[in-house]
């Protein structure tokens, strides 16, 4: 089916799904490759030119404490310009070690806050569909298959809130909570 596979998938989902379902296309690394982000937006236009409807775009943001905030901002701006609903479908922020220092944890908290702030700032309210945090804690049992040697989540391995929790909460609230 080539690139028309998604056209058919959206048509079938619309035909057999519930009338109020919101259908999203979803991809990863859109903040690392703005060309990929542009390509996904163009693909949505292509899908719709073939008669299917895409309600939203999801971005999987598996980033780290050193990710390029300029590219994150630009990604959100590009996604907002699509006019579609926008969802951060997966968000985790690696610290690049399973035993982070206080400095690493502070950087992680700052990056969680930045992502939440940028989402709220650059995605208009009417297009905001939410943010899903990928993972719960840094407990090793939760990282057997995903980032086993890292600490990317809001709770530590003992299920205590990390600084990242406050960073995410502050970003969501738009203020220091």
């Amino acid at each position: 089916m080539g690139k028309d596979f998604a056209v058919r998938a959206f048509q079938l989902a619309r035909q057999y799904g519930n009338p109020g379902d919101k259908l999203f296309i979803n991809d990863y690394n859109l903040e690392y490759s703005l060309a990929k982000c542009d390509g996904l937006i163009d693909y949505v236009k292509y899908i719709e030119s073939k008669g299917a409807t895409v309600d939203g775009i999801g971005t999987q943001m598996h980033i780290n404490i050193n990710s390029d905030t300029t590219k994150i901002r630009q990604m959100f701006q590009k996604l907002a310009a699509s006019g579609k609903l926008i969802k951060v479908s997966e968000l985790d922020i690696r610290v690049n070690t399973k035993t982070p220092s206080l400095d690493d944890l502070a950087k992680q908290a700052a990056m969680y806050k930045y992502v939440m702030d940028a989402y709220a700032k650059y995605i208009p309210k009417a297009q905001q569909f939410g943010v899903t945090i990928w993972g719960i804690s840094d407990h090793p049992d939760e990282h057997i298959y995903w980032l086993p040697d890292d600490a990317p989540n809001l709770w530590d391995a003992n299920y205590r809130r990390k600084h990242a929790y406050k960073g995410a909460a502050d970003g969501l609230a738009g203020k220091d909570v």
Side-chain angles (χ1 to χ4, degrees):
M1 291 186 75
K3 68 186 207 174
D4 286 339
F5 77 94
V7 174
R8 188 71 179 131
F10 277 93
Q11 289 169 336
L12 290 170
R14 194 72 65 198
Q15 180 180 352
Y16 294 107
N18 297 310
D21 289 349
K22 299 294 183 195
L23 302 180
F24 280 72
I25 194 163
N26 186 57
D27 211 341
Y28 65 97
N29 284 348
L30 303 179
E31 72 285 338
Y32 286 111
S33 172
L34 296 174
K36 184 176 185 179
C37 185
D38 289 336
L40 184 62
I41 293 166
D42 288 343
Y43 191 44
V44 167
K45 292 175 187 172
Y46 173 81
I47 292 167
E48 292 192 326
S49 77
K50 297 294 186 176
T53 302
V54 178
D55 296 306
I57 300 173
T59 177
Q60 300 172 26
M61 297 184 67
H62 301 292
I63 62 176
N64 68 65
I65 58 176
N66 300 311
S67 290
D68 186 337
T69 55
T70 299
K71 284 186 174 180
I72 292 169
R73 173 184 49 81
Q74 291 171 334
M75 175 202 66
F76 281 136
Q77 290 171 323
K78 288 173 179 288
L79 293 174
S82 75
K84 299 297 179 186
L85 295 171
I86 305 301
K87 178 168 178 57
V88 177
S89 53
E90 301 175 15
L91 174 62
D92 59 55
I93 301 175
R94 296 181 310 278
V95 291
N96 307 316
T97 178
K98 63 181 170 184
T99 55
S101 67
L102 288 177
D103 185 55
D104 294 332
L105 293 172
K107 288 177 182 174
Q108 184 184 46
M111 186 61 79
Y112 268 108
K113 183 176 183 319
Y114 178 81
V115 170
M116 300 299 186
D117 284 343
Y119 180 80
K121 181 176 182 178
Y122 298 110
I123 306 298
K125 277 267 190 239
Q127 289 176 256
Q128 293 178 12
F129 202 75
V131 176
T132 300
I133 303 296
W134 184 255
I136 297 170
S137 83
D138 297 334
H139 193 281
D141 290 348
E142 295 177 38
H143 292 274
I144 295 169
Y145 302 107
W146 180 250
L147 305 175
D149 296 318
D150 212 306
N153 294 304
L154 302 181
W155 284 269
D156 69 15
N158 296 308
Y159 299 95
R160 291 183 303 241
R161 290 180 187 172
K162 293 168 40 183
H163 298 297
Y165 182 93
K166 181 173 177 9
D170 287 353
L172 286 172
K175 62 181 181 180
D176 184 10
V177 292

